[in-house]
């Protein structure tokens, strides 16, 4: 079992990278890797609360994050600086993610065996 960090940086609005990252995360978790999921930059938009009655295309995508608990993915982080730059806060995100500073993020990454940036 390896400690693997998945860093998501892409907005959910202009590519399928976020959805592909979700598929990768779930696949790695299924083979019992210890995962750390980090949302930085425009990827914080993936965590926004979406009205479940709307036809907004992120609805199904966001529901996939609910699977993290089933796959024992408990280390979920969001870059505090990225949230602040986009004028977002804890109340705006739908996933229980711990906010970390850039310095804390560097320490977190130093403890990983593999790092995948998407």
């Amino acid at each position: 079992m390896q400690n693997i960090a998945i860093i998501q940086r892409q907005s959910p609005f202009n590519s399928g990278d976020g959805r592909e990252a979700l598929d990768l995360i779930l696949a790695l978790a299924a083979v019992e890797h210890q995962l750390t999921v980090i949302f930085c930059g425009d990827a914080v938009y993936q965590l926004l609360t979406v009205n479940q009655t709307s036809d907004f295309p992120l609805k199904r995508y966001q529901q996939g994050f609910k699977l993290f608990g089933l796959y024992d993915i408990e280390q979920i982080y969001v870059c505090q600086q990225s949230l602040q730059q986009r004028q977002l806060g804890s109340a705006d995100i739908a996933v229980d993610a711990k906010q970390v500073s850039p310095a804390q993020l560097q320490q977190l990454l130093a403890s990983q065996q593999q790092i995948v940036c998407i």
Side-chain angles (χ1 to χ4, degrees):
M1 175 167 58
Q2 288 189 338
N3 291 332
I4 302 173
I6 308 291
I7 303 174
Q8 295 198 53
R9 296 179 183 261
Q10 300 297 318
S11 166
F13 305 116
N14 56 0
S15 75
D17 291 343
R19 185 162 195 101
E20 290 175 13
L22 176 61
D23 291 342
L24 175 65
I25 290 165
L26 297 178
L28 289 172
V31 292
E32 300 183 6
H33 288 294
Q34 182 65 39
L35 298 180
T36 300
V37 181
I38 303 165
F39 294 88
C40 295
D42 285 341
V44 299
Y45 291 124
Q46 294 180 32
L47 304 176
L48 293 178
T49 302
V50 177
N51 183 348
Q52 296 300 318
T53 60
S54 74
D55 291 331
F56 195 63
L58 297 181
K59 184 170 76 169
R60 289 190 206 136
Y61 180 81
Q62 186 184 39
Q63 289 178 349
F65 294 134
K66 294 178 183 179
L67 296 173
F68 286 174
L70 293 173
Y71 284 83
D72 294 325
I73 302 169
E74 299 170 353
Q75 296 182 48
I76 306 166
Y77 300 94
V78 60
C79 177
Q80 188 176 48
Q81 184 178 20
S82 296
L83 287 174
Q84 290 172 348
Q85 289 173 341
R86 288 152 184 83
Q87 299 178 347
L88 299 172
S90 298
D92 297 313
I93 60 176
V95 175
D96 186 23
K98 181 180 178 185
Q99 292 186 29
V100 292
S101 69
Q104 291 171 315
L105 201 54
Q106 285 183 338
Q107 291 176 345
L108 184 65
L109 293 175
S111 67
Q112 303 299 310
Q113 293 172 313
Q114 298 285 327
I115 299 172
V116 178
C117 293
I118 299 175

